[in-house]
Every structure is written in C-alpha cells, then in structure tokens.
Amino acid sequence: MWEADSAQRRDGAERKVSGAQVVAEALKAQDVQYVFGVVGIPVIEIAVAAQSLGLTYLGMRNEQAACYAASAVGYLTGRPGVCLVVSGPGLLHALGGMANANMNCWPLIVIGGSSERSQETMGAFQEFPQVEACRLYSKFSARPSSIEAIPSIIEKAVRSSIYGRPGACYVDIPADFVNLEVKATSVKYTECCLPPPVCMAETSAVHRAASVIRNAKQPLLIIGKGAAYARAEESIRRLVEQCRLPFLPTPMGKGLVPDGHPLCVGAARSRALQLADVIVLFGARLNWILHFGLPPRYQPDVKFIQVDICAEELGNNVKPAVTLLGDINAVTKQLLEEFDETPWQYPPESKWWKTLREKMKSNEALSKELASQKSLPMNYYTVFHHVQEQLPRDCFVVSEGANTMDIGRTVLQNHLPRRRLDAGTFGTMGVGLGFAIAAALVAKDRSPGQRVVCVEGDSAFGFSGMEVETMCRYNLPIIILVVNNNGIYQGFDTDAWKEMLKFRDATAVAPPMCLLPNSHYEQVMTAFGGKGYFVQTPEELQESLRQCLADTTKPSLINVMIEPQATRKAQDFHWLTSSKM
C-alpha cells in the first residue's frame, strides 16, 4: 500500500504540462469563457488546450473581427473575451480591435504568439516588437518571464481589463513557450481575481448634485453605454420615474430605460441638448458624439453633472458644475437616497416639457411621412419602419454604416439594456459581424431564444463579409440585413453606372464613394449554406424577414435595395462637420 501511494505521488510530481496547457488553465482559473481567433504557428496548441478544458473557441476569418467579437463579449458579460492571434501580421490585424475596445472602455484580452526568444533580433519569422507596440492600444502589455509566471500575468491582465475604466490588455507568449514542458507541480495557478471594487461618490458632491437638479428649469439626463456596462438600468429607471425627468440615451445607452418610455426624448435630441440648462451625464462622455458639450450645440451656461468611474474623464472639454466619481449604479443609488429623503418631481406640465413634446411630435410625423412613401426603390425610413414592425422586443440589434446606423438608431427601438451594439466611440466600420457573432454566443448560453439582427450598410458589410462563413460553420442563426444603396453614403443605379463608364475607365470617372450597383451580397450567405434574399419592395422585405425570424436553424442575409441617393432627413446639427460631397 505504501509503495502504491509513493508511486502515485512520484508520478504526480513528474507529470509535465506545456506552456499551451498553462495558458488555457490560467484563463479558466480567471473565469474566462470565450476565445476567438485565427490560429497558426505558434498558437494552435493554445486553442486546442482551451477547447479541451471546456472554453468556447470560435475560429474567425480575420483577426480584426475576432478582436471585435472578443471585446463585445466583454461588454455583454462583464468578463473579458480573449482574442488569440499569431505573431507579427496576425497581431497587427488585431490592433484595430484593441484600439476599439480601449476607446469603448470594454474589457478584452489579446494573447499573441511571438518569435522564439533565442531568435530575437536575428530576423525571426514574423518577428515584431509586440509588447511595445501593444502598449499604445492597451491598459497592460507584458510577456511572462517563464511558463511558471504565465498564471500571474494572465490574472493581472484580466484584473486590469475590468478594474477602473475597462479596456484591452495584451499577453505575449513566445513560440518556444507553447510546447515547452515543465513539472506540473512548479506551476502555481492564481485564484480568480475579485470583482471590481464598487466606489461611491463623496456625500457632499451627491448633495450638491441633487440641489442643482432640483433647481433646474430645463433638466436632461443623458444615459451612456458606461451606465449599460455598469448594469445601472434598475436604479436609473427608478430615478427617471421617481423624479419624472426627461432622458436621452446615447446609441449604446438605448434600452436601459425602454426607448418607448413616455419620458424618453430621443425624438427631440437636438432640441433637448441645445436648450437644457442642467444635464446629468451617466457614463456618457463629452466627446464628438455629444458635440464636446460646447455651444452652439448647448447653452453657453449649461450646468453639467458628470457621473463616471474614471477620474481623468471628469472635466474634459467643459468645466462641470458637479462631479460624481464612482460606480454609476452605486452613485445613482446615492442620488436616489437624496430624493427618497426629500421627495421631488420635475413638473410634468412645464414649458420645457411642452417644448420637447412639440419637437418630438413634429420629428415623429416627418419620419412617419418618409416611411410611408410608396415609391421604389425604397428609402431608409421605409426599410426601418417595416423592420421595426417585426423586431422581437428582446432581440439584439447590431448596426453599422453611415446613414444606415444613424437613421436606424432613431427608428429601431430597444427595450432592454445592452441590446444595441454599433460603431461606438471610435466610429469603427467592420465591427458588425464580429459583434453579431459575440451576441449570438451570449444569447445562446445566457438567453436562449433571443435573436440577433445585424443591420449593415453595404459598405460596412464589405469590411468583414467573410464572417458569414463563421456564422454558418457554427450554426449561429443571425439575421443580417444589408441596406444596399450601392455606395459609401450614396451611390448610383445600374443605368447611371453604365452611362458613366460608356467611354472611360472606372478609375477615371467613378466617384470614390461608389460601389458596384445591385451587388448580390445574399449569395455570399447562400454559398456557405445559409439563406439569402434579394428584396426590392416592402412586401418582399416583410416576407423575407418573417421567414428569417421563424427559422432558428441557420443564419440568413436579406439584401435590401434602396434608392442610391437616399439620405436622412435634414438635421439642425450634424455629428460631424466634414463634407460628404
């Protein structure tokens, strides 16, 4: 008996583990569930090890799309997804996704294979200063000094990605680490890092903020995606309803309080921003999306109350009246305590509400008029009107493109938090299909039956269109709508295109914004076994979308032809001032 126990202990002591296995074990120890990537030398074994431990691995067609998917998982779950890439060019392709995650403040871990340590500075295969390069795009970038150090580095990367302002982190794994084996007993796995600490605002600042809100003549709450990430929907909705305050969601703040709520003033966005005298920012930044908080988009003397987890964000572009530094959910609860102690409501029949409601009514009437137009090809509003009629209330809506995204934001409604994903703070095109894949995985594991509808402009679809093969390979029932106007911003119909090219080459006469007219993007989907539809009328759109929503077995793509010169209704203020020619 003693000899058997001794032999068993000796075998355990002599058991070896590879670097690839240690990486996978360390990720699992940190409660990381999803890994996306494009494998090759030297990271194939890491993907295999991750799968063998039960981590979900999805092989993508492009590293950028893989990185977008991993970051969207971080936003949707609060736990970082992993993007696994090869050395050199593979990592370079992922940098766009890292930058996008950092700008959006979403947790992400990128693990990159790199050249063997013994070949550094010798011109090794795909040699590149990866750790140094990633520092510009991440919160934390490091290479473990040994296989034994991998667990602590991965723990720090995960912790750094979710603590404070979330963001991207990079871990470099040299090629010689992947298959190198060490004694299993020499590797000490780090316990899963604790959840981010919940910080609360100073009590005196909360008192001041409540006082400023009570004295506002024309108040406005702006709900940003930081509030969505903080899961502050319950407390924010209670504050809105208890104080009867008008609110405006940013694009990815939609749904924390349902878009159809009677206190939502999204249909009067420009008027609300321009005339408000007190604005409370819940996890929303005064960047280009909110016009930097400056006149003429705002009143010169408007008072901003900023609620944010990041101290460095407070006071950017505009000096705030009050700053509330802390977890957005916790700070909102602090404000609620103030209004519980001394109840107060903004008067529902005020002049401010009358102004907002009049503008909402006129804008909604104009949008309805545009949506009801019967002429063909269809315009954006007609398309989105018919899509909105059939959208499930709990579906994920992914959207990107220029007019496609901007108009879709105003027409397509969100009723639940974290159900809209779009180009975001960085304005990144090409994120759509990666985001949709991430949403489909999260829905499958956490909310079975919820659908993912990905609304793409034809230009935006082109950035990552091959990811439809990924959807088909993993049988993700995503519905893609390509709103096709034959161009970037605007295009030309077939007759105008042929006439333009009658005597000269396309490189000389085709406007830079033009794409090939009537491209059959739906055939990309059918090529891989999904369903494709080419639609030109409202009736065809309605029927194809009905069929797609009824089929939960495979992905589908609806290619919707619209008027090439269609655009959005006239705007008082544009998000960007540069010309679209």
Side-chain angles (χ1 to χ4, degrees):
M1 184 70 176
W2 179 86
E3 290 179 353
D5 288 344
S6 179
Q8 188 176 4
R9 286 194 299 269
R10 186 168 60 251
D11 290 344
E14 292 175 353
R15 187 172 70 88
K16 298 290 188 74
V17 290
S18 68
Q21 291 172 306
V22 173
V23 170
E25 290 278 9
L27 290 172
K28 186 172 183 179
Q30 297 306 317
D31 195 26
V32 171
Q33 182 178 353
Y34 300 98
V35 182
F36 305 83
V38 180
V39 298
I41 297 171
V43 298
I44 297 173
E45 291 84 355
I46 296 177
V48 172
Q51 279 186 315
S52 69
L53 287 176
L55 277 68
T56 300
Y57 176 80
L58 266 83
M60 306 281 282
R61 300 303 300 264
N62 180 276
E63 290 90 353
Q64 277 195 22
C67 212
Y68 297 144
S71 66
V73 158
Y75 172 64
L76 294 172
T77 69
R79 206 73 190 168
V82 171
C83 178
L84 179 65
V85 297
V86 301
S87 51
L91 176 68
L92 284 171
H93 292 165
L95 292 181
M98 292 178 69
N100 190 68
N102 251 17
M103 290 292 188
N104 272 347
C105 308
W106 290 357
L108 164 71
I109 306 295
V110 175
I111 297 178
S114 59
S115 308
E116 293 191 16
R117 292 170 298 163
S118 63
Q119 297 175 357
E120 285 184 352
T121 74
M122 296 175 65
F125 176 66
Q126 296 184 336
E127 183 178 357
F128 188 71
Q130 298 181 180
V131 174
E132 294 84 353
C134 288
R135 288 198 176 110
L136 185 61
Y137 305 93
S138 63
K139 294 180 66 179
F140 172 76
S141 179
R143 170 193 282 188
S145 58
S146 64
I147 290 177
E148 290 83 356
I150 288 173
S152 63
I153 291 292
I154 285 181
E155 186 275 341
K156 184 168 184 178
V158 171
R159 178 162 41 87
S160 298
S161 76
I162 61 176
Y163 276 34
R165 172 181 275 180
C169 293
Y170 175 68
V171 178
D172 192 75
I173 304 295
D176 50 310
F177 275 15
V178 175
N179 290 310
L180 182 64
E181 293 186 335
V182 298
K183 290 181 180 179
T185 54
S186 70
V187 182
K188 306 299 180 186
Y189 292 97
T190 308
E191 289 185 13
C192 186
C193 64
L194 295 172
V198 176
C199 304
M200 302 176 72
E202 293 180 2
T203 303
S204 59
V206 177
H207 289 323
R208 289 198 304 275
S211 175
V212 172
I213 294 170
R214 292 176 194 275
N215 290 313
K217 297 290 188 278
Q218 298 180 168
L220 177 67
L221 307 185
I222 298 181
I223 304 171
K225 70 172 177 289
Y229 180 82
R231 275 132 176 94
E233 53 266 22
E234 185 178 333
S235 57
I236 286 180
R237 180 166 184 168
R238 188 181 155 208
L239 179 66
V240 165
E241 293 179 344
Q242 182 169 322
C243 296
R244 309 300 297 171
L245 289 164
F247 74 91
L248 173 70
T250 65
M252 277 189 274
K254 285 162 61 70
L256 264 78
V257 184
D259 284 346
H261 195 283
L263 299 175
C264 179
V265 295
R269 181 182 189 272
S270 293
R271 189 62 51 86
L273 295 179
Q274 190 178 22
L275 298 181
D277 65 347
V278 171
I279 296 178
V280 188
L281 299 163
F282 289 100
R285 291 173 279 179
L286 291 175
N287 54 23
W288 66 276
I289 294 176
L290 289 176
H291 312 275
F292 313 108
L294 300 173
R297 200 64 178 84
Y298 296 82
Q299 292 293 310
D301 56 352
V302 61
K303 295 178 180 178
F304 285 102
I305 299 172
Q306 285 185 277
V307 185
D308 206 285
I309 190 68
C310 178
E312 289 80 2
E313 187 61 40
L314 303 176
N316 270 352
N317 299 322
V318 173
K319 184 178 180 180
V322 187
T323 59
L324 300 174
L325 176 64
D327 175 82
I328 295 166
N329 190 32
V331 173
T332 306
K333 290 178 179 178
Q334 288 180 278
L335 284 170
L336 279 166
E337 290 174 2
E338 288 284 324
F339 292 112
D340 284 341
E341 187 175 325
T342 309
W344 171 85
Q345 281 191 347
Y346 183 71
E349 300 305 322
S350 66
K351 183 179 178 182
W352 177 227
W353 263 120
K354 182 180 179 181
T355 299
L356 292 173
R357 288 178 181 132
E358 286 176 352
K359 187 61 175 177
M360 290 167 64
K361 186 176 180 180
S362 64
N363 281 346
E364 287 166 352
L366 180 54
S367 294
K368 187 175 182 180
E369 179 185 346
L370 290 167
S372 65
Q373 291 181 2
K374 304 295 185 183
S375 59
L376 296 177
M378 295 179 284
N379 64 46
Y380 286 102
Y381 293 88
T382 303
V383 170
F384 290 134
H385 168 73
H386 291 294
V387 171
Q388 174 59 35
E389 282 188 328
Q390 295 192 52
L391 275 187
R393 289 178 63 87
D394 62 356
C395 75
F396 290 85
V397 177
V398 181
S399 185
E400 64 171 331
N403 289 326
T404 298
M405 183 175 66
D406 293 349
I407 299 172
R409 171 180 55 84
T410 64
V411 179
L412 302 179
Q413 300 291 289
N414 291 90
H415 305 280
L416 295 173
R418 296 170 297 281
R419 290 299 186 274
R420 177 180 167 86
L421 298 164
D422 65 24
T425 306
F426 213 23
T428 308
M429 291 296 105
V431 297
L433 274 64
F435 283 1
I437 288 169
L441 281 178
V442 172
K444 177 182 176 183
D445 293 344
R446 303 186 180 209
S447 308
Q450 290 186 358
R451 302 305 303 273
V452 177
V453 179
C454 183
V455 185
E456 300 272 304
D458 49 336
S459 172
F461 176 75
F463 282 86
S464 53
M466 277 298 289
E467 297 303 335
V468 300
E469 187 273 336
T470 306
M471 298 176 184
C472 291
R473 185 168 12 117
Y474 292 105
N475 203 30
L476 301 173
I478 296 164
I479 300 169
I480 302 174
L481 288 101
V482 178
V483 184
N484 190 348
N485 69 346
N486 303 333
I488 302 169
Y489 304 122
Q490 293 178 324
F492 289 93
D493 61 26
T494 303
D495 291 339
W497 179 261
K498 289 180 178 179
E499 183 67 26
M500 186 166 48
L501 302 187
K502 189 178 293 184
F503 302 110
R504 297 189 67 184
D505 183 80
T507 58
V509 296
M513 303 88 70
C514 286
L515 300 173
L516 192 66
N518 288 12
S519 294
H520 282 265
Y521 297 111
E522 77 284 355
Q523 294 181 8
V524 179
M525 180 63 83
T526 59
F528 297 112
K531 289 189 173 182
Y533 303 84
F534 184 82
V535 306
Q536 297 176 290
T537 68
E539 295 75 21
E540 291 172 346
L541 173 59
Q542 291 169 340
E543 179 57 27
S544 61
L545 184 55
R546 190 175 299 114
Q547 291 182 30
C548 293
L549 288 168
D551 186 354
T552 59
T553 64
K554 61 178 62 177
S556 53
L557 189 152
I558 305 172
N559 187 13
V560 187
M561 302 307 301
I562 68 168
E563 166 57 47
Q565 297 295 308
T567 186
R568 64 186 306 189
K569 62 183 177 65
Q571 302 293 297
D572 294 330
F573 294 92
H574 293 282
W575 279 5
L576 300 176
T577 57
S578 55
S579 171
K580 295 180 183 177
M581 299 182 67

